[in-house]
Amino acid sequence: MAGSSPQSESSLPPERADLLQALRQQRFFLRNTARELTDEQAATCSTVSELCIGGLIKHVADVERGWADFIVDGPASAPDHNDPAVHERHAQSFRLLPGETLAGVLAAYDEVAARTDGLVRSLPDLDVSQPLPAAPWFEPGARWTARRVLLHVIAETSQHAGHADIIREAIDGAKSMG
């Protein structure tokens, strides 16, 4: 399974094992929406939104990568939200671009998941916090612990897994979660 490690989760403190299980479950729900899809289907915007399954997986991988960087490097790893190129890259993260494939997006997601899972296993303390970067959607001066960041990644993955499930149902009637 993506993100698994030879280290048994039963040897981890319960909180870390729970975080890994929650991450694994939400990743499964998201990945499962892509089962047996072609690249064309994975790039299809089948609802009134501009979202597609391949783009959602790509976006979630990008978000998870960014938050893992934040856990390690703090706000220095955050993009400059005043830069128009950052906004364009964010918009493109929701789409499969020419030359991108579902297999490539899934492989990249597996790499991101493995890194995050490694952090969950190896961080000395989940209570270590970093100041959030300056952005209009963050309270000035707020800090997040590694735990809070991981909970945010789980919530983000869950939310987008639901989006992907609706998109998949509109493509071919297949359901992943209900």
Side-chain angles (χ1 to χ4, degrees), residues 31-59:
R31 290 178 61 88
N32 194 42
T33 63
R35 70 194 179 285
E36 301 173 10
L37 289 181
T38 65
D39 289 339
E40 182 181 351
Q41 289 171 313
T44 298
C45 300
S46 61
T47 67
V48 296
S49 82
E50 295 182 18
L51 300 176
C52 66
I53 291 174
L56 283 169
I57 294 168
K58 179 177 146 182
H59 170 74

Side-chain angles (χ1 to χ4, degrees), residues 8 13 22 29 50 60 62 66 69 73 79 84-85 88 110 112 121 128 132-134 136 152 178:
S8 168
F29 286 140
E50 295 182 18
V60 169
D62 286 349
D69 290 346
D73 299 324
E88 180 58 27
D110 286 345
V112 169
R121 289 183 180 90
V128 171
L132 289 172
H152 178 74

Side-chain angles (χ1 to χ4, degrees), residues 92-157:
Q92 290 178 355
S93 77
F94 286 99
R95 298 188 293 274
L96 280 184
L97 301 176
E100 293 179 331
T101 64
L102 179 58
V105 168
L106 289 168
Y109 190 28
D110 286 345
E111 290 175 17
V112 169
R115 177 181 179 226
T116 303
D117 290 357
L119 283 172
V120 173
R121 289 183 180 90
S122 66
L123 284 171
D125 186 352
L126 295 176
D127 289 325
V128 171
S129 68
Q130 301 274 13
L132 289 172
W137 47 88
F138 293 134
E139 178 183 340
R143 299 178 68 88
W144 278 10
T145 63
R147 175 185 300 98
R148 176 67 184 91
V149 169
L150 293 166
L151 291 170
H152 178 74
V153 169
I154 292 165
E156 175 96 7
T157 306

Side-chain angles (χ1 to χ4, degrees), residues 6-27:
Q7 178 184 8
S8 168
E9 286 179 25
S10 64
S11 67
L12 291 172
E15 178 183 25
R16 291 175 192 250
D18 287 348
L19 287 167
L20 287 171
Q21 176 57 31
L23 281 164
R24 183 174 10 277
Q25 182 179 37
Q26 296 312 312
R27 289 177 188 138

